[in-house]
Amino acid sequence: MTVTPPYIGRFAPSPTGPLHIGSLVAAMASYLDAKVHHGSWLLRIEDVDGDRNVAGADQHILASLQRCGMLWDGEVSWQSQRGELYQAALARLGALIYPCACSRKEIADSQLSLTGRQAQALIYPGTCRHGLAPGRSARALRLAVPQTPHYIASCSDRWCGLVSQDLTDEVGDFVVKRADGFWAYQLAVVVDDGAQGITDIVRGADLLDSTPRQLYLQQMLGLPQPRYLHVPVVNNELGEKLSKQTGALAFDDGGAPQALLQQALLPAARFLGMELQASDLDAFWRVAVPAWAALLAAHETPN
Ligand code: GLU
């Protein structure tokens, strides 16, 4: 797939802690991709999940990116300040949105009774689609997914190739506003990417299984479909994605740039498949941009 300008990319970290090597890999890939395509690179703090935000993590992330030499274009945006946009999107989705009274446990139980075993991801059985049962009150808001014919969401990922999912069978109607009152990630990310004119989403492959829901939302909101590139995620020794919950360590303790280079940037580049040599940060980025272009040439699925 040939990527043609204009190119607007973004890095969209959740401020759940300082950057760790796993999030640095995603940041580096999206930054390099924007540079290779002479595009812009926006920064959006995804602080929509008020329960997971860690005070000061956003500023720590911004400072780390700057210290690494990854400078974003324009103003930083914070999802917590964009609620009106999400509300407007909800209005636009209109009759596709409905209130749902089900708890996670009820959905899990319904799967047990349907299949005799519990699926890994909870598939919503549609209990409240035609209205709340008497005496039940609304918890979350869901977006209806077509039943007949099934909705198959597909795209061609620049790294992973074809991504396709039967949303009707494998996901069901999904939450766009949560029971705790927070906007769901799926809605916020699609609305923001659309409003900011993002043409290229480069992020970790842990979000591959969210992509079909986002494609559906884009279509329902009349937004253009961006190009996608999902890079592998860094796992810990137990095979879990590195995150604050799985014990990922922050790499930036404010030490010398050499330490950042040796302990963070070069290892992150190596993880992405780029064996680079550089004596300082400037030299690193000078070699990393053409190295990313070469890596892409090997990965991209020809059209
Ligand atoms: N905020 C998400 C995260 O930190 C990334 C969302 C995205 O890139 O679409 O995992």
Side-chain angles (χ1 to χ4, degrees), residues 127-177:
T127 320
C128 302
R129 189 179 299 135
H130 303 295
L132 297 179
R136 304 273 304 186
S137 43
R139 292 164 47 88
L141 294 178
R142 285 184 188 271
L143 174 66
V145 171
Q147 297 302 299
T148 26
H150 284 198
Y151 190 92
I152 316 287
S154 326
C155 72
S156 168
D157 186 272
R158 293 169 51 215
W159 188 291
C160 305
L162 177 68
V163 175
S164 183
Q165 186 178 41
D166 181 333
L167 271 192
T168 312
D169 251 4
E170 295 173 45
V171 178
D173 304 344
F174 58 92
V175 170
V176 288
K177 193 164 192 197

Side-chain angles (χ1 to χ4, degrees), residues 10 12-14 44 46 185 189 201 203 206-207 214 241:
R10 51 54 158 196
S14 304
R44 183 171 76 228
E46 299 211 319
Y185 155 71
V189 78
I201 294 178
R203 60 186 181 187
D206 53 313
L207 291 164
Q214 296 174 15
K241 181 205 164 192

Side-chain angles (χ1 to χ4, degrees), residues 10-16 23 26 44-48 52 79 185 189-190 193 201-204 206-207 210 214 228 230 241:
R10 51 54 158 196
F11 177 51
S14 304
T16 53
S23 38
R44 183 171 76 228
I45 301 291
E46 299 211 319
D47 57 348
V48 79
R52 290 177 64 224
Q79 283 189 326
Y185 155 71
V189 78
V190 166
D193 287 333
I201 294 178
V202 178
R203 60 186 181 187
D206 53 313
L207 291 164
S210 285
Q214 296 174 15
Y228 286 95
H230 288 85
K241 181 205 164 192

